Amino acid sequence: MEMADENRKVAFICSKGNLDMAYPALVMGWAALGNGIDVTIFFTFWGLDMINKDRVDHLEIPPISNASMKMNMMGVPGYIGIPQIAGVIPGMTAFATTLMNSKMKKLGVPTVREYLQMLVDAGAKMYACKMSVDMFGLTKDDFVDGVLDIVTAGDFMDMTEGAQIIFI
């Protein structure tokens, strides 16, 4: 396979702050870095929770409106969906979050905070969305180490020219 002359670039836009939506960009970003691909990550709207010092260790996975969650996650055989009504039961979000974190830990998957640090250490560039930061009353001090700056969507587009952009 012939390699392109230019460095390959990928940019992820993280717009969700749920635990299950945090991992795709982190895993794919890590894989990209391992393949020598430049990685830029832009956190916007609820995705800011992934880099917010106060939220990063408390991301949750709500079972309500998550039709992909199956009972086999809880050890029930088959691919039976969790009844949506179960999502309104107090404690279900905490239960599902604890269960997912436990399964991830058993598999040796880094936490979101650990993944972010790994990505930064390996050269990924991370930015927060200015509009979302302003809307939520945040500052750069609210973010984990490694967030380079707060930028506009236009700045992000300029910085990622020629990159493959993946919206999550």
Side-chain angles (χ1 to χ4, degrees):
M1 183 171 167
E2 188 174 320
M3 299 297 290
D5 291 337
E6 288 186 33
N7 286 342
R8 289 177 61 195
K9 301 177 202 170
V10 64
F12 296 93
I13 300 171
C14 296
S15 66
K16 307 272 191 303
N18 289 347
L19 185 59
D20 59 326
M21 297 307 291
Y23 277 98
L26 303 176
V27 172
M28 295 301 291
W30 184 247
L33 287 167
N35 285 327
I37 300 169
D38 290 339
V39 173
T40 302
I41 307 176
F42 183 74
F43 299 89
T44 187
F45 284 90
W46 311 123
L48 289 175
D49 278 359
M50 292 173 62
I51 55 171
N52 186 317
K53 289 177 190 171
D54 294 333
R55 293 286 308 134
V56 66
D57 299 318
H58 305 286
L59 301 181
E60 299 175 304
I61 179 168
I64 196 159
S65 298
N66 192 343
S68 293
M69 286 187 73
K70 304 296 183 231
M71 298 287 277
N72 63 352
M73 185 176 168
M74 295 181 273
V76 176
Y79 292 97
I80 302 166
I82 295 175
Q84 289 296 295
I85 191 70
V88 300
I89 297 171
M92 278 302 288
T93 296
F95 173 73
T97 300
T98 298
L99 188 63
M100 183 170 172
N101 279 327
S102 172
K103 287 188 173 275
M104 300 291 262
K105 187 174 183 177
K106 284 179 187 170
L107 292 171
V109 177
T111 65
V112 171
R113 182 183 290 271
E114 291 167 338
Y115 247 125
L116 290 169
Q117 189 61 55
M118 290 165 43
L119 288 162
V120 168
D121 291 347
K125 297 175 279 300
M126 300 193 311
Y127 297 96
C129 169
K130 181 172 179 1
M131 185 189 79
S132 299
V133 166
D134 290 347
M135 189 169 60
F136 297 135
L138 300 169
T139 69
K140 191 174 175 198
D141 291 338
D142 293 309
F143 301 127
V144 298
D145 291 339
V147 174
L148 296 174
D149 207 351
I150 298 167
V151 300
T152 67
D155 294 335
F156 173 74
M157 289 298 158
D158 289 340
M159 290 186 288
T160 58
E161 183 175 336
Q164 179 181 13
I165 296 179
I166 300 172
F167 186 88
I168 299 174

